[in-house]
Amino acid sequence: ISLEKLGFKVSAVTKTADSATIEKDKVVSTDPASGTSQPKGTTITLYISSGMTKVPDGLVGQPKDTVLDKLSSMKFLPVVEQEASDKVEKGSVTRVSPGSGELVLQGSQITVYVSTGKPQVSVPNLLGNTIAEAKATLGSDFTLKVTGDATDDAVIETQDPAVGTQVDKGSTISVTAKKPTTEDPDNNGNGGTTTGGN
């Protein structure tokens, strides 16, 4: 039964509305809303599906399965990619593409990027370096913890973890260091060398 047969007037101007579930060109809603009592002759405005919908907000930081279930229930086609992240824990979503809030066609493919955890980096060889050289080598990839002499010219004698070990970016490397000593047993300022006379 059409609205006209029920005694209503359908507005000549229809409006479009985005919908995740109502296919394009089908009625999403009416104004006044369906199911309400209105006097005969009331003009009804129809809202027709544009076939477009928004990517939902609040996906970043959520567990992968939660996000996939939500997108699937909205009839999106989620595709999973993996990437390292300093900020999002392993197994949770780092971002989606198209991004949250973007207007897309119903049933669009949404790429869901899932954290594999912090990026892995290889521990460099610090043995024999001074503390100053080690700090320059490590940059922001590691934190340096020094036992012994921590002055810039102290020389590194041991390190943990070992050279070449794969660790999370930002991990701590523990080293022991001490200042180099110069041997001068005679304390005469010539490095211990003595000369005899004839």
Side-chain angles (χ1 to χ4, degrees):
I1 294 178
S2 69
L3 291 171
E4 288 92 347
K5 286 186 179 176
L6 293 174
F8 297 108
K9 295 179 185 174
V10 175
S11 172
V13 178
T14 58
K15 297 186 178 182
T16 59
D18 300 327
S19 171
T21 54
I22 308 294
E23 21 178 304
K24 186 175 181 179
D25 298 329
K26 303 280 186 186
V27 176
V28 173
S29 62
T30 60
D31 183 23
S34 63
T36 60
S37 291
Q38 303 296 328
K40 283 191 174 187
T42 298
T43 300
I44 309 293
T45 301
L46 302 178
Y47 289 84
I48 308 298
S49 174
S50 65
M52 303 292 284
T53 187
K54 284 187 179 179
V55 177
D57 291 325
L59 302 177
V60 173
Q62 295 295 314
K64 175 186 80 170
D65 291 341
T66 301
V67 171
L68 296 180
D69 289 347
K70 182 168 188 170
L71 292 174
S72 295
S73 73
M74 295 178 72
K75 309 227 186 295
F76 288 116
L77 301 173
V79 174
V80 175
E81 295 286 340
Q82 296 188 330
E83 65 183 3
S85 174
D86 285 335
K87 297 176 183 169
V88 178
E89 70 181 51
K90 185 175 182 177
S92 292
V93 173
T94 58
R95 61 190 171 104
V96 293
S97 179
S100 293
E102 286 191 42
L103 200 58
V104 296
L105 284 170
Q106 293 171 347
S108 290
Q109 178 176 298
I110 307 291
T111 304
V112 178
Y113 293 88
V114 178
S115 174
T116 57
K118 290 188 177 185
Q120 295 289 295
V121 287
S122 183
V123 175
N125 185 3
L126 303 177
L127 299 174
N129 287 335
T130 64
I131 296 297
E133 291 168 337
K135 287 177 182 175
T137 299
L138 298 179
S140 62
D141 287 348
F142 299 95
T143 302
L144 184 65
K145 180 181 176 187
V146 181
T147 302
D149 190 341
T151 57
D152 280 351
D153 62 344
V155 176
I156 295 173
E157 297 179 326
T158 66
Q159 76 176 64
D160 181 42
V163 176
T165 305
Q166 292 292 311
V167 296
D168 288 347
K169 185 177 180 183
S171 292
T172 298
I173 297 181
S174 298
V175 299
T176 56
K178 74 176 187 180
K179 272 204 187 244
T181 57
T182 56
E183 293 185 23
D184 188 6
D186 296 331
N187 200 23
N188 60 10
N190 62 10
T193 305
T194 57
T195 56
N198 297 358

